[in-house]
Every structure is written in structure tokens, then in C-alpha cells.
Amino acid sequence: MDKNKIQIKELDLGFLMDNGAPEPFVFSNEKNLYLFFHKENQNDNEWVMLSFKNYFLFKFGLPREDSEHPYSKYGLSGYGVFETNQSPWIDELKSINKNDQAYLKYGWNKLKHHIIPFHDSTFECISEGFDFKEVKGKIKDIISKLI
């Protein structure tokens, strides 16, 4: 992986994320991964829901807004949905699974590395992409409809 070729692009999803209290929430099992957060000017019972397709793994936590993400030097900034064209994390997955017959024929070029920096946390995911929509209701009620 040539780190000089890493490029970060912000995806235009047609809305701005709430930069005060987006209140991100992750719901996941072995096959499904959902990320919820508030967009700008939404009330507490209105959410953006990202549904990740064929996710491989995710992390949710540090760094916070006041810390520097390693990809900041490539253009990553806060309060957006970003994608990188070169991902050391995907390369690491390929290396770890190089002897696993189920993954030898997998089209690794299908995978995308998404990074979503919030105020108090950052969400990152390796998947084949995501769909998103706006949903309304209490988060526990929304999740109960997913399971």
C-alpha cells in the first residue's frame, strides 16, 4: 500500500450531519450493521439510518473531534461521511485471510472503507457499501422492527 496514494472523499448524501449532538448509535449482529445519527435540525426521534452491505468489520470509538485521526493529513474532517480509495485496513484483512479458501476468490476490490467522524467518536467500516434513509421513532422501536 502506497500511503501517498490515499485519498479521502466526502460523500454528498444530500444532508448535513448535526455537529452539536448527532448521538450516533450502532446496532449489529454477525450479518447486519446499522448506524443511526441525527442530521442537522432534526428532533430526538428523527434519525438517518445507514445500512451496510456485507460488512466485514467496524470500529466505533476514538478518536474524538479534538483528536487527530491518522487520515486527517489526507483530507478527513469532521461531521461527514467519507470514503477512502486506498485502505491499509482492507490490505490487512486480505493478508489475514490469505490462506482462507472462502476468501481467496473474494473480490476484494468490492470493499469500501467508510469513515464517519462525530463529535465524541468516530465510526469506521469495511463493507461493500451502504444504503441510507431517514427513519422516525424511538431508537428501541426502530431496532425492534429490524430484528
Side-chain angles (χ1 to χ4, degrees), residues 6 13 20 34 74 77 79 83 92 105 120-121 136 139:
I6 292 175
L13 303 182
Y34 302 92
Y74 303 113
S77 59
Y79 305 106
E83 182 177 302
E92 180 183 356
K105 296 179 183 176
D120 290 323
S121 59
K136 293 183 179 186
I139 199 76

Side-chain angles (χ1 to χ4, degrees), residues 116-137:
I116 306 172
F118 297 103
H119 180 68
D120 290 323
S121 59
T122 298
F123 175 87
E124 295 190 50
C125 180
I126 304 294
S127 71
E128 290 182 10
F130 64 85
D131 293 320
F132 72 95
K133 65 180 180 178
E134 292 185 44
V135 293
K136 293 183 179 186

